[in-house]
Amino acid sequence: MKRSRLRRWIHVLRIGLLWLLAVLFVAAGTNHFISPDFYLRMIPDGWPRPSMLVYVSGVFEVIGGLGLLVPRLRTLAGWGLIALLVAVFPANIHMAMHPERYDAFSHVGLLARLPLQGVLMALVWWVACQNRKLDVE
């Protein structure tokens, strides 16, 4: 009986995290279009076409977040979001190396973003890419 309750709790937790991550990615992706200047400052110096990078990453965040909610697309969306998180990691490193450019964040906060990227990847993998079926219908 206890094992059954634990499994149910874990299932509910995964569904809740799935929805939370979907909302987070859709909101963050949408924000790329609302406040592009914030994201432009994150791009490391010398990278080509920073505006395009901001908008493309925003589009993929929105698509990935919505894809998490579609069972047939969930695994693909999850791997896509993990790839996106890896791709944008240099921006987080850039921010941590240049805290003077980001008045809204403390240096400690910028450093904390680095391992949080790994936590986000792990959560996306758990709710979307792990081989267990996750019914949310």
Side-chain angles (χ1 to χ4, degrees):
M1 186 65 111
K2 282 187 179 188
R3 183 173 169 92
S4 167
R5 283 186 195 168
L6 179 61
R7 290 179 74 138
R8 176 73 180 144
W9 186 86
I10 290 172
H11 180 75
V12 169
L13 178 64
R14 283 183 74 199
I15 290 171
L17 281 172
L18 175 76
W19 280 90
L20 180 67
L21 288 168
V23 168
L24 175 108
F25 281 107
V26 170
T30 301
N31 200 46
H32 281 68
F33 298 93
I34 296 169
S35 303
D37 291 340
F38 173 78
Y39 296 95
L40 282 169
R41 289 186 297 137
M42 296 169 93
I43 296 178
D45 300 330
W47 282 33
R49 304 192 58 189
S51 291
M52 183 197 71
L53 294 173
V54 167
Y55 293 123
V56 167
S57 60
V59 166
F60 282 113
E61 282 189 75
V62 171
I63 290 171
L66 293 173
L68 290 177
L69 301 177
V70 180
R72 295 180 124 205
L73 301 177
R74 186 170 297 135
T75 300
L76 179 63
W79 286 117
L81 287 170
I82 290 169
L84 180 66
L85 289 166
V86 170
V88 301
F89 191 69
N92 290 339
I93 293 171
H94 177 73
M95 289 178 76
M97 291 175 61
H98 301 283
E100 70 282 356
R101 297 183 185 183
Y102 309 100
D103 296 336
F105 299 97
S106 70
H107 192 210
V108 171
L110 293 172
L111 290 171
R113 286 174 54 104
L114 300 175
L116 284 176
Q117 199 87 349
V119 171
L120 266 177
M121 286 183 229
L123 290 173
V124 169
W125 176 83
W126 187 54
V127 302
C129 303
Q130 188 183 28
N131 288 331
R132 292 189 174 174
K133 187 176 179 185
L134 180 61
D135 295 320
V136 294
E137 297 85 20

